Amino acid sequence: MPDPLSIHDLTVAYHSRPVLWDISVDVPAGQLVAIVGPNGAGKSTLIKAVMDLVPRASGRVLIFGKPYKQNRRRVGYVPQRESVDWDFPVNALDVVTMGLYGKIGWCWPVTRKHRKTAMDALARVGIAHLAHRQISHLSGGQQQRTFLARALAQDADLYLMDEPFAAVDAATERVIVQVLTELKDAGKTILVIHHDLQTVAEYFDHVILLNMRIVAVGPTQTTFTQENLQKTYGGKLTLLDQATEAMRRAERSR
Amino acid sequence: MFDGWTWNLDGWIIVAGILCAVAASLLGNFLVLRRLSMLGDAISHAVLPGLAAAFLLTGTRDSIPMFLGAAAVGVLTALVSEWIRGYGKVDEGAAMGVVFTGLFALGLIVIVQAADRVDLDPGCVLYGAIELTPLDTVSVAGWQVPRVVAVLSVVLLVNLIVVVVFFKELKISSFDPALAMSLGINARAMHYLLMTLVAVTAVASFETVGSILVVAMFVVPAATAHLCTDRLGVMILISALVAATAAVFGHAGAVVIPQSVGYHSTTTAGMMAVAAGACFTVALLFAPRYGVIARWVRRRALSLSILAEDLLAVLFRAEERQTRDFPRDGAGLRDTLQTGATATRAALFWLRRRGDLQLGTAGYDLTDQGRQRARRLIRSHRLWERYLVEAGGVGGTHLHENAEQLEHFTDEALRRQLADETASPNVDPHGRPIPPE
């Protein structure tokens, strides 16, 4: 069986300024994988490039052996909480139901069956009682749980989560960890962008250390070492930075 | 009373106004929610050169070439603004400003230059000529219908069908375009579909309300509706209602009422925008949840309930100390709590009605029910003090102030958690007993 996610030679650039260089990684099935790296390391871009949300300069991404377009039903996405407008006139149930829109198909209406699925997902993250609350009246942790419930409703096999643990309360953190464990036990593969280095070893089996390129990848026990962290955070690729800067200057003066 | 009123004239003008306002407001919801109100503005100005080009190329005022020209330029505006924002390193507003002022001016120049050959009046494009609606008619299924009404009906129908059929897709592309794309719903395609419709609606509305006022019809009803509801479907309905109301009252306010009381009539289009603005003001003041008055009432109610709780607490503490060291009438309580006369009177009245207080010979006394309520409050207060000292290391004068605020927002579940966290103490940090639940 092909790997849930297989990235080969991926390079992404914004305005000819490289953000990700030569990323190659195969993620095995049934793993909880942390993507760790400093700000600006291209973590969100990596996830977005996998889903064709940002254009790739080069490289190939396969989801269960096929291009994303052919296998998008098997991917669930949890964007950063700040990426949406929480004053939008929808309630928590609406937001979770959006995860099903791909399955429902163009122009077909949402039915009771879909709402039931969404409701079950909300119950799994413990906020079924808030289903009909407008989303700006939810706390930060509850908003994050809503996003998680939406991904659950998608019933995917590969989950990509952009900082689900950012600024959530302790109770929400426990719920997220529990849901992630349940998903893993059900054979799903989960990639999580994670900022809190303290909890990486506790929560995750696998780790991808990223700083514009892959610094190290492998099981947390052997890969999440002081030395590798040093390389990821401390050892900045200064020469690469210089080259990028020179490129940008040339670009501007032209 | 309505001497100036004739169905053939005013009826058609109002119908045209309603069709135009509702068609624009349907799309306006998505413009407002995507914070693209400016783009609606930009497109409705920028379509002018598209119109002019269509006139010059075909030499007719036929609707079809006009709409094609306008739609093309409308989409071009959206594309070019986005391109300028990306590559010109300016913000969205500036990018749109560059594009639409340029295009609008170009359109005006073309129209003025070609004025001899083309029957097109810049003033009409800017301000509309809704009053002339009934004069230019076409025959639809044997009926003589104003041409504008026929065109606007088609546009409204198209907008309505798109909003209903693509409701789900418009909703998700507006709320979370990245998720939409990842699910295979092309948010960019929805964006340009919306922009095309905005351009077409703007052109169709030119003759009725003009290019400036169509912006009001895009933005104001939707903004009004957003104040009134938390549901997208309801918001769209309300915006359509507001738009129709504005059209009716706009015409009444511009022509019928001034004429019947002996003033000169004014332009219906202008009055429609004013009426829409009035609807917005009413919503801003009276909206059930987000209105200014509702917010004020909620704030007053909260401070009143806090004051009432403070009153109960003061009386409870006095009972606890077994001293009657302050007069327990209204004035005495007011001095103790340092609050205003009206607020204190209102809080005391409310507490008596609820049965928490009774008026005895020496002033106010707690009833059993009031004592129970006060005991929970004091329990919350002292548990918080305990918790803040033990868990947070807070001390000194801040302790009481913090607890004084937190006590009003502490329910039984939270008190139980506090008691657990502090190992169910019997006394607070000052040595006073923590009463049982």
Side-chain angles (χ1 to χ4, degrees):
Chain A
M1 205 183 85
D3 279 333
L5 176 62
S6 163
I7 302 175
H8 184 70
D9 266 351
L10 172 72
T11 295
V12 177
Y14 280 139
H15 302 161
S16 66
R17 200 177 163 186
V19 184
L20 290 172
W21 276 110
D22 270 347
I23 305 287
S24 290
V25 62
D26 293 304
V27 179
Q31 299 284 335
L32 209 52
V33 185
I35 302 176
V36 176
N39 287 331
K43 304 187 293 290
S44 293
T45 309
L46 177 61
I47 283 191
K48 286 182 179 154
V50 167
M51 287 181 297
D52 291 344
L53 292 178
V54 294
R56 300 199 281 265
S58 69
R60 192 194 63 203
V61 176
L62 293 179
I63 312 284
F64 295 101
K66 288 184 191 163
Y68 178 75
K69 268 204 176 66
Q70 293 169 32
N71 246 343
R72 61 169 105 241
R73 293 277 171 80
R74 300 185 70 177
V75 180
Y77 174 41
V78 178
Q80 276 184 37
R81 187 146 52 84
E82 299 82 50
S83 67
V84 302
D85 170 16
W86 291 94
D87 282 328
F88 203 84
V90 288
N91 61 30
L93 188 63
D94 288 330
V95 174
V96 177
T97 314
M98 285 180 195
L100 299 166
Y101 282 10
K103 278 202 187 83
I104 298 172
W106 281 85
C107 308
W108 289 98
V110 175
T111 63
R112 188 172 300 167
K113 193 185 80 193
H114 301 127
R115 285 199 197 92
K116 170 85 172 55
T117 311
M119 207 63 189
D120 291 347
L122 278 171
R124 272 181 78 183
V125 297
I127 52 167
H129 60 291
L130 301 174
H132 297 288
R133 193 174 283 195
Q134 202 273 332
I135 49 175
S136 65
H137 299 287
L138 299 171
S139 73
Q142 288 161 349
Q143 291 175 345
Q144 194 64 62
R145 289 191 206 196
T146 308
F147 266 5
L148 189 64
R150 184 170 74 183
L152 289 178
Q154 280 181 269
D155 192 26
D157 296 312
L158 170 66
Y159 285 97
L160 306 172
M161 306 190 179
D162 201 340
E163 298 207 29
F165 290 104
V168 299
D169 52 286
T172 300
E173 180 150 347
R174 279 195 299 275
V175 168
I176 298 177
V177 170
Q178 191 202 329
V179 167
L180 291 183
T181 314
E182 282 170 22
L183 288 173
K184 192 185 84 169
D185 292 345
K188 319 274 188 182
T189 310
I190 310 116
L191 262 75
V192 178
I193 294 178
H194 198 59
H195 250 146
D196 183 8
L197 297 180
Q198 310 283 333
T199 50
V200 170
E202 185 186 341
Y203 295 163
F204 298 96
D205 318 317
H206 247 70
V207 63
I208 297 174
L209 293 171
L210 189 77
N211 193 352
M212 293 175 75
R213 57 185 187 102
I214 292 209
V215 177
V217 58
T220 314
Q221 270 193 323
T222 51
T223 312
F224 195 66
T225 59
Q226 198 60 43
E227 194 194 338
N228 281 336
L229 278 176
Q230 199 88 46
K231 278 192 216 155
T232 314
Y233 285 84
K236 282 195 76 180
L237 300 170
T238 38
L239 291 181
L240 191 59
D241 273 357
Q242 276 176 28
T244 318
E245 187 55 38
M247 265 163 74
R248 210 177 45 161
R249 268 203 308 272
E251 188 83 1
R252 290 201 150 212
S253 58
R254 217 186 304 152
Chain B
M1 177 179 167
F2 292 143
D3 290 338
W5 180 274
T6 49
W7 271 113
N8 239 338
L9 241 66
D10 298 280
W12 281 128
I13 291 174
I14 288 184
V15 167
I18 290 177
L19 289 172
C20 160
V22 174
S25 71
L26 286 178
L27 306 178
N29 286 289
F30 296 100
L31 293 179
V32 166
L33 288 175
R34 294 159 150 237
R35 305 181 191 276
L36 286 177
S37 312
M38 248 317 258
L39 195 53
D41 192 355
I43 287 180
S44 46
H45 283 79
V47 289
L48 201 54
L51 288 187
F55 280 129
L56 288 177
L57 286 176
T58 64
T60 66
R61 282 178 52 140
D62 242 14
S63 297
I64 307 289
M66 268 172 57
F67 283 132
L68 289 180
V73 180
V75 172
L76 196 71
T77 309
L79 276 171
V80 174
S81 332
E82 205 163 290
W83 185 80
I84 290 184
R85 182 168 62 105
Y87 290 90
K89 301 201 188 302
V90 290
D91 71 86
E92 211 160 5
M96 283 181 218
V98 170
V99 176
F100 93 80
T101 48
L103 284 174
F104 185 60
L106 179 71
L108 275 180
I109 291 169
V110 172
I111 289 177
V112 172
Q113 282 296 320
D116 303 338
R117 280 176 292 147
V118 188
D119 169 28
L120 182 68
D121 171 21
C124 165
V125 171
L126 286 179
Y127 312 118
I130 198 169
E131 290 80 3
L132 302 180
T133 299
L135 302 180
D136 179 12
T137 60
V138 291
S139 174
V140 179
W143 284 37
Q144 283 297 310
V145 177
R147 196 177 50 81
V148 173
V149 170
V151 171
L152 283 172
S153 301
V154 174
V155 170
L156 173 59
L157 195 68
V158 170
N159 288 357
L160 193 64
I161 289 174
V162 168
V163 168
V164 170
V165 170
F166 293 114
F167 181 70
K168 205 165 90 271
E169 286 75 17
L170 282 168
K171 186 173 172 179
I172 192 172
S173 333
S174 303
F175 176 64
D176 194 343
L179 179 81
M181 296 294 266
S182 82
L183 292 175
I185 294 169
N186 195 330
R188 291 180 66 79
M190 293 313 295
H191 178 74
Y192 290 113
L193 172 67
L194 192 63
M195 291 312 134
T196 309
L197 291 179
V198 165
V200 168
T201 309
V203 174
S205 310
F206 270 2
E207 287 175 84
T208 30
V209 295
S211 67
I212 296 173
L213 291 170
V214 71
V215 178
M217 288 303 129
F218 276 129
V219 177
V220 182
T224 309
H226 198 190
L227 280 170
C228 300
T229 179
D230 278 336
R231 306 281 301 160
L232 182 58
V234 182
M235 177 176 162
I236 293 173
L237 275 181
I238 294 180
S239 73
L241 274 176
V242 170
T245 312
V248 173
F249 281 89
H251 185 62
V255 179
V256 182
I257 292 173
Q259 273 180 5
S260 58
V261 294
Y263 280 96
H264 290 296
S265 59
T266 171
T267 70
T268 295
M271 223 39 186
M272 274 172 68
V274 173
C279 287
F280 180 80
T281 312
V282 169
L284 190 64
L285 289 176
F286 299 104
R289 194 163 189 172
Y290 303 108
V292 172
I293 292 176
R295 281 169 196 259
W296 182 82
V297 167
R298 266 205 309 279
R299 247 191 345 262
R300 293 303 305 167
L302 180 64
S303 58
L304 198 65
S305 110
I306 287 177
L307 175 58
E309 289 188 345
D310 285 341
L311 283 167
L312 293 179
V314 161
L315 289 168
F316 185 88
R317 289 200 172 94
E319 276 187 8
E320 196 180 42
R321 288 194 302 273
Q322 295 184 327
T323 52
R324 301 279 191 245
D325 47 6
F326 61 90
R328 282 173 298 131
D329 57 354
L333 286 166
R334 207 168 65 222
D335 288 344
T336 317
L337 284 172
Q338 298 284 308
T339 53
T342 321
T344 315
R345 206 174 301 131
L348 285 169
F349 175 76
W350 184 50
L351 285 170
R352 275 181 70 190
R353 272 204 56 175
R354 204 169 61 173
D356 287 345
L357 288 184
Q358 58 197 15
L359 198 51
T361 44
Y364 289 97
D365 286 311
L366 290 169
T367 61
D368 285 342
Q369 182 193 315
R371 197 168 293 117
Q372 171 75 14
R373 218 182 278 275
R375 185 166 63 236
R376 294 205 183 110
L377 197 72
I378 298 287
R379 179 173 164 79
S380 303
H381 182 99
R382 293 181 182 164
L383 278 172
W384 269 117
E385 290 192 331
R386 189 82 196 200
Y387 176 78
L388 289 172
V389 168
E390 285 183 14
V394 181
T397 50
H398 293 305
L399 200 55
H400 179 77
E401 287 163 24
N402 286 330
E404 192 69 22
Q405 282 184 349
L406 293 166
E407 63 179 14
H408 300 293
F409 304 96
T410 307
D411 59 3
E412 196 185 336
L414 189 51
R415 274 198 296 278
R416 204 175 310 124
Q417 272 179 296
L418 281 170
D420 288 347
E421 293 277 326
T422 51
S424 306
N426 295 319
V427 290
D428 74 2
H430 311 290
R432 283 183 297 252
I434 295 177
E437 185 73 38

